[in-house]
Amino acid sequence: MLQPAVCLRTNRAKLRRKGRDQMQIGKAGKATTSISTATHDSITVRNHDLVNELMGGLTFTEYFYLLTTGRKATSDQAFFLDVLLVSIAEHGLVPTNQAARMTYAADPDFLQGAVAAGLLGCGKVILGTTEIAGRFLQDTQARIDRNGETLDDIIIGMRDAGRRIPGFGHPLHKPVDPRAQRILELVEERGVMGPYSRLARDVEASVSRLWSKPLPMNVSFAIPAVLLDLDFPPSVLKAVPILARTASLLAHLAEESETPIGFTLAHHAEMGITCEPSGSSK
């Protein structure tokens, strides 16, 4: 009979062989992280001492930039990241905030679940246009630079194909979205307008000339233009509105705990919808 230590070694060897024999799902990556590490008496974040350097040395906005990019923000990067977070955070009783409030009303001890419920509703209609608009700006600039296409031809092609321009149009803010205008005005005032901010203005002018109806540039078009000019990674463009909206969700839930309207929202939803039978019975 094998001794316990021998059995343990044998089982471990079998597990290692089994792991090698199984196919890993997804692309294999290097098993490392560059964000943080810790010892018994120190915490290092992006190669900076958290306690002695970052705490008291950075604002949360600057810290968010460091976390996501690995670089310390310049004064312009920090300024505009603050501007963008403020511009996109609060949207009133949009579906995401209603979902969070109703979830919280159902269980006031489940704050994190209510926040999660709100964030899960942040799809491309409510929040994700920032990322899509960022890709549009990059693709459009590449087509102009690489293929020699004109912006007007690109806009006409989208119009004639019945395609929507991401980040244009708004159900309330007409003829302009004041948030988008303020963002680009501040970019001009601080003298940091880059290629994507200029392209945003050019797209706005082209759409105004060529589209069949007024179509204002909204805040979700101005945000990625500025972020791309500020060397923010395209892969995390959506992170900015998500972070901002989290603050708003927490505000709505704080209010919900004091003056609850979650069940009122649910009641009005029920009263506002009528049931129509899908078929007739014989």
Side-chain angles (χ1 to χ4, degrees):
M1 174 179 287
L2 290 174
Q3 296 300 314
V6 176
C7 290
L8 183 60
R9 287 195 297 270
T10 302
N11 289 337
R12 285 175 176 171
K14 287 180 179 178
L15 288 172
R16 285 195 296 271
R17 288 196 299 272
K18 184 178 180 181
R20 287 195 298 268
D21 293 339
Q22 290 179 335
M23 181 179 294
Q24 178 175 319
I25 298 175
K27 184 179 179 181
K30 189 177 180 181
T32 63
T33 177
S34 301
I35 297 177
S36 68
T37 188
T39 66
H40 73 283
D41 63 350
S42 69
I43 303 168
T44 303
V45 179
R46 290 295 192 182
N47 295 325
H48 296 279
D49 187 309
L50 173 67
V51 174
N52 298 309
E53 184 181 351
L54 302 181
M55 294 173 64
L58 294 182
T59 67
F60 181 74
T61 300
E62 292 169 328
Y63 188 47
F64 174 66
Y65 189 90
L66 175 66
L67 281 171
T68 53
T69 68
R71 306 184 302 273
K72 282 193 173 182
T74 66
S75 59
D76 284 328
Q77 288 167 335
F79 175 84
F80 279 103
L81 188 50
D82 262 328
V83 169
L84 303 181
L85 288 168
V86 170
S87 74
I88 200 69
E90 172 53 19
H91 274 62
L93 289 173
V94 290
T96 51
N97 287 337
Q98 292 190 43
R101 280 181 177 263
M102 286 187 278
T103 302
Y104 185 82
D107 188 352
D109 295 327
F110 197 41
L111 177 65
Q112 69 274 23
V115 173
L119 289 176
L120 288 171
C122 293
K124 64 181 180 180
V125 174
I126 299 295
L127 197 67
T129 311
T130 295
E131 185 178 41
I132 299 171
R135 289 200 299 267
F136 169 80
L137 284 164
Q138 290 181 303
D139 292 344
T140 299
Q141 189 65 62
R143 290 172 65 180
I144 293 171
D145 294 341
R146 183 178 60 243
N147 304 334
E149 298 179 64
T150 68
L151 179 58
D152 280 1
D153 285 343
I154 293 172
I155 298 301
I156 290 170
M158 295 182 71
R159 181 198 66 191
D160 293 347
R163 295 173 57 195
R164 298 181 62 181
I165 300 178
F168 274 78
H170 198 279
L172 176 63
H173 299 305
K174 301 172 183 179
V176 297
D177 182 339
R179 301 164 301 173
Q181 298 304 317
R182 178 60 174 160
I183 289 169
L184 294 179
E185 287 168 3
L186 286 170
V187 168
E188 293 184 46
E189 287 177 14
R190 289 180 70 96
V192 294
M193 181 165 274
Y196 291 107
S197 296
R198 285 191 289 269
L199 180 59
R201 282 298 195 197
D202 291 342
V203 173
E204 181 183 35
S206 184
V207 169
S208 178
R209 289 195 317 272
L210 301 171
W211 220 256
S212 58
K213 62 180 181 179
L215 202 63
M217 173 176 61
N218 66 49
V219 69
S220 292
F221 199 79
I223 285 176
V226 176
L227 288 174
L228 290 171
D229 280 340
L230 292 178
D231 200 25
F232 205 90
S235 60
V236 291
L237 287 179
K238 194 187 292 186
V240 171
I242 288 177
L243 177 63
R245 194 60 60 84
T246 301
S248 177
L249 285 168
L250 289 167
H252 277 266
L253 295 172
E255 184 179 71
E256 183 68 23
S257 69
E258 298 292 332
T259 54
I261 62 172
F263 286 129
T264 302
L265 292 169
H267 172 73
H268 281 281
E270 188 172 4
M271 293 299 99
I273 302 298
T274 58
C275 178
E276 294 184 358
S278 57
S280 59
S281 59
K282 293 184 179 180

